[in-house]
Amino acid sequence: MLYPEVNASRSVISLDGLWRFCLDDGSNEGTINNDFIKANAELIAVPASYNDQKDDLRYREHYGWAYYERELMIPANLSDCRLVLRFDAVTHACKVFIDGALVKEHKGGFLPFEIDLDGIAGAGERHLIQVAVDNRVSHSTLPVGNEEGTAFFGSDNADVPSVEAAKVWRKKRNLPNFDFFNYAGLNRSVRLCAMPREYIEDITLVPSIEDGEGYVSYSVSTVGEGAVTVDIIDREGCAVASAQGASGRIRIPGCHFWNPWPDDPYLYTAHVSFASDCYDERFGVRTVAVKGHDFLINGKPFFFKGFGKHEDSAIHGRGFDLAYAVKDMSLIHWLGANSFRTSHYPYAEEIYRLADEEGVVIIDETPAVGIGAGDKVDPYKTFDIREHHEDVIRDLVARDKNHPSVVMWSMGNEPDTEHFPESARDYWGSLYEFTHSLDPQDRPVTFVCCQNNYEKDLATREMDVVCINRYYGWYNLSGDMDAACHALNIELDFWQEVGKPLIMTEYGADTLPGFHLTTPEMFSEEFQVMYYDRINKEFDKRDFVIGEHPWNFADFNTIQGVYRADGNRKGLLTRDRRPKLAAHYFRERWNKIANFGYKR
Ligand code: GCB
C-alpha cells in the first residue's frame, strides 16, 4: 500500500486534531447510538491512545468499544478526484461509519487500511465520520489476550478459596498475554487522500547488485488506461536512468549503494508516471542474504547493535509522535547502535521512512505476540488466529516491502514452542514459507523464541536467523552472574551446533534510574551495567552471535502488577529518553564495534 503523498497529481488533507469521543458502557456493542454519543462525548486528540489523555480510571481500564466522530467537509475542487479515507492504525478492531452507514470493518491494530469514498461521500459536501473501536484482546486477536485466567504477570491464579470466590467481583477487563500496556484508539493519523481517477495503485521495487553495478527491478500496478514511465532520480535531483512499461529492470549508472549509518544510506527516488497520476517512491540499492553464520548486507557480514523498542510515551501512549521518532533516531546514533526490532508490532510508516533516510536497520515484527496457553492447551489447534496472522503478514509485507531499512521479517514474538513442538514447527514453518513467498525482495524470515526448553523446540532452528530472548541473571538465576553466564554458555553451545547465525533479541534487567549501589545488586544502575558487561563478554567469544539487542531501548508502560512498578524498567533510557548508566556503557562499547566484519 502506498504512503499518502502530496505531489503534482495528489493531495492529502489531515484529519488529525480534536475528535469527539466516548467510551461505551456496554450497552451499544459497536453500534452507533447518536443519543448516547451526544450525551457522553468529550474532546480527545488524534493521533494518540485514548487511555492516558484523561485523568479518569475508566479510560485507563476500559474494556470493549469506544466511539470517535468528527465532521469532514470535502473541498468542492476535489470533485474530479478519486477520494480515499486512510486510517494508519486503529487499535485493535473497528467499524467505520460515514453518514450513519457502515462502510468498513477492520481487524488488527497496527497496519493501515483505506476506504474508497466513491459512491459513499462526495466533494463539496459535509459528512460525518464515526469510528467504533474495540480494544479487546483474546485467543483470536494478535496480540493475544487470555480468555480467562490471568493477565501477564497477574496474580489471580492463587489457589486460595477467598480469591477464587472474589473473582466474580472482578470487572470485565483485558487480560493481555504480553508485557506492554494495551493502548488503544486512533493511534496513528487519519487522512483524506485525493488522486486522479486513473491512478497508480502500487509500486514494487527490488534492488540488486551484480559485478559492482546497481539495478532495480520494478513493477507498477495501475487502475485505468495509460502508459507507465519510471525515472530514477539521484540525491541531487538528476534523472540518471529511466524505463517505460509496467515492469522492467533498470541499471543505475555509477550507482551509490544504501549502507547503514555511519556509512552513507544513499537513497534514490523512483518517479513513476501513469496517465495524469505520478508518485515518488524512495528506495535504496542494497542486498540482504544469510550465508553460513553471516548476515550479509551488500555482501558484507553485518553485526546488529541495537534493541527491541516500543511505540510508547507519556500521555500519547502508543500514539504516533514525530518528535519522539526523530529523538529516538538521534539517540540510536548517539548510542552507536545500528538497528532495532519493531517489537512487538509494526510501527508507524514514518518511522521506516526516517530509518531509510538515517541508515538504521530494522527487523520488522508482526503483532503476533503471546501465542501460547500453558502446557494443557495447544494454541495452534485451538486459537482462531491462523487466517488473521496470514492477513497481517500479507499487509505488513505489502506496506513495508520497498524499505531498504527493513532487512528481516519477524513473524512474531515468544510463542509456545516447547509444549507442542510439532504443532509449533508446522505453524511457524508454513508461515515461514508463506512470508518468503510474499516478499519480492525475499528477505530472511524469523520469529523470536522465548526462554524455554530449547532442546524440545523444533521451530526456532528452522528459521533463517535464530533469534532468542534470554534473561539469565534476571528472571533465572537472578542476580548471580557467574551462574547466569555458565547457563548461557551451555545454551550457546547448543545453538552453535545448530549452525545458524544467532541474534540475542532480548536480554536485560529492570533498573530504577538514580538507584545506585557500590555493590551491584538487582534494580541498581550498577547491576544493569554489570549484567550487560558480563553477558556481552560471553557473546564476544562466539562468532555465530551476530547481534546483541538489549531489552529495551527505553522504559515503557505495562499493565499494573506485582512485577511492574510504573511499567517495565529495563530501558537503557528512561521513558522520557534520559540515559541510565547502561546507556553510557553501550555507547562506549558500540562506538568501538564496526557495522561490518566484527568477529570476522
Ligand atoms: C520478554 C518479552 C517482552 C517483555 C520482556 C520482560 O521476553 O518479549 O515483551 O517485556 O520479556 O521484560 O519481561
Side-chain angles (χ1 to χ4, degrees), residues 58-299:
R58 289 181 313 125
Y59 278 73
R60 183 87 187 152
E61 295 186 335
H62 185 63
Y63 173 82
W65 292 93
Y67 306 96
Y68 286 82
E69 66 171 33
R70 62 159 285 162
E71 273 79 36
L72 167 63
M73 180 72 218
I74 304 181
N77 61 7
L78 298 180
S79 58
D80 290 340
C81 297
R82 172 178 183 251
L83 299 173
V84 170
L85 186 59
R86 189 191 210 262
F87 291 85
D88 286 3
V90 184
T91 315
H92 294 285
C94 70
K95 296 179 190 176
V96 180
F97 301 81
I98 297 186
D99 301 328
L102 176 66
V103 294
K104 180 87 182 175
E105 293 190 60
H106 185 260
K107 179 175 175 180
F110 304 92
L111 288 166
F113 63 91
E114 297 181 333
I115 302 163
D116 188 323
L117 295 182
D118 193 27
I120 295 176
E125 299 162 3
R126 182 177 292 278
H127 301 281
L128 177 66
I129 310 176
Q130 292 171 305
V131 188
V133 184
D134 186 358
N135 77 348
R136 284 173 293 186
V137 288
S138 68
H139 283 177
S140 57
T141 62
L142 298 174
V144 170
N146 295 312
E147 304 260 332
E148 52 195 36
T150 58
F152 198 79
F153 289 141
S155 51
D156 273 4
N157 54 353
D159 190 13
V160 176
S162 50
V163 172
E164 279 307 312
K167 278 188 182 171
V168 294
W169 296 98
R170 273 287 211 179
K171 277 197 291 265
K172 269 288 208 188
R173 66 204 168 113
N174 272 307
L175 298 170
N177 199 23
F178 49 87
D179 180 35
F180 47 94
F181 191 79
N182 186 38
Y183 282 117
L186 300 188
N187 277 336
R188 296 183 193 150
S189 289
V190 186
R191 289 176 262 230
L192 176 70
C193 308
M195 65 199 76
R197 286 186 191 277
E198 299 195 314
Y199 63 96
I200 298 161
E201 188 179 45
D202 199 15
I203 299 167
T204 302
L205 301 172
V206 180
S208 55
I209 301 173
E210 278 167 40
D211 300 328
E213 300 266 7
Y215 297 83
V216 62
S217 298
Y218 73 91
S219 81
V220 178
S221 62
T222 54
V223 174
E225 292 293 311
V228 172
T229 305
V230 180
D231 293 306
I232 305 299
I233 317 286
D234 71 9
R235 188 188 273 167
E236 275 66 50
C238 302
V240 291
S242 67
Q244 315 275 324
S247 60
R249 186 169 188 249
I250 303 174
R251 189 178 76 85
I252 303 174
C255 186
H256 301 273
F257 304 138
W258 186 93
N259 270 294
W261 186 92
D263 293 331
D264 188 4
Y266 195 101
L267 291 178
Y268 289 92
T269 301
H271 177 74
V272 179
S273 312
F274 164 76
S276 62
D277 195 14
C278 63
Y279 191 90
D280 286 330
E281 180 77 334
R282 305 273 280 160
F283 71 98
V285 177
R286 61 102 189 84
T287 59
V288 178
V290 171
K291 200 168 165 201
H293 280 156
D294 287 330
F295 193 101
L296 303 173
I297 298 184
N298 298 339

Side-chain angles (χ1 to χ4, degrees), residues 449-517:
C449 158
C450 70
Q451 186 140 17
N452 62 16
N453 187 330
Y454 47 86
E455 289 173 351
K456 288 192 184 155
D457 175 338
L458 302 172
T460 304
R461 65 187 74 169
E462 299 290 314
M463 297 297 115
D464 293 322
V465 176
V466 168
C467 289
I468 59 173
N469 297 345
R470 294 297 182 263
Y471 288 90
Y472 291 113
W474 186 255
Y475 294 122
N476 311 95
L477 305 165
S478 310
D480 184 342
M481 293 315 295
D482 290 337
C485 289
H486 193 72
L488 172 68
N489 273 306
I490 293 172
E491 183 172 352
L492 289 178
D493 286 344
F494 172 87
W495 291 112
Q496 188 145 5
E497 287 299 303
V498 167
K500 299 267 172 92
L502 179 144
I503 301 175
M504 188 63 80
T505 31
E506 285 183 27
Y507 60 122
D510 283 87
T511 304
L512 302 175
F515 174 39
H516 291 287
L517 288 175

Side-chain angles (χ1 to χ4, degrees), residues 179 344 413-414 469 471 475 506 551 556 564 568 570:
D179 180 35
H344 296 307
N413 183 68
E414 298 202 344
N469 297 345
Y471 288 90
Y475 294 122
E506 285 183 27
W551 185 256
F556 57 92
R564 297 285 178 258
N568 186 310
K570 295 193 186 69

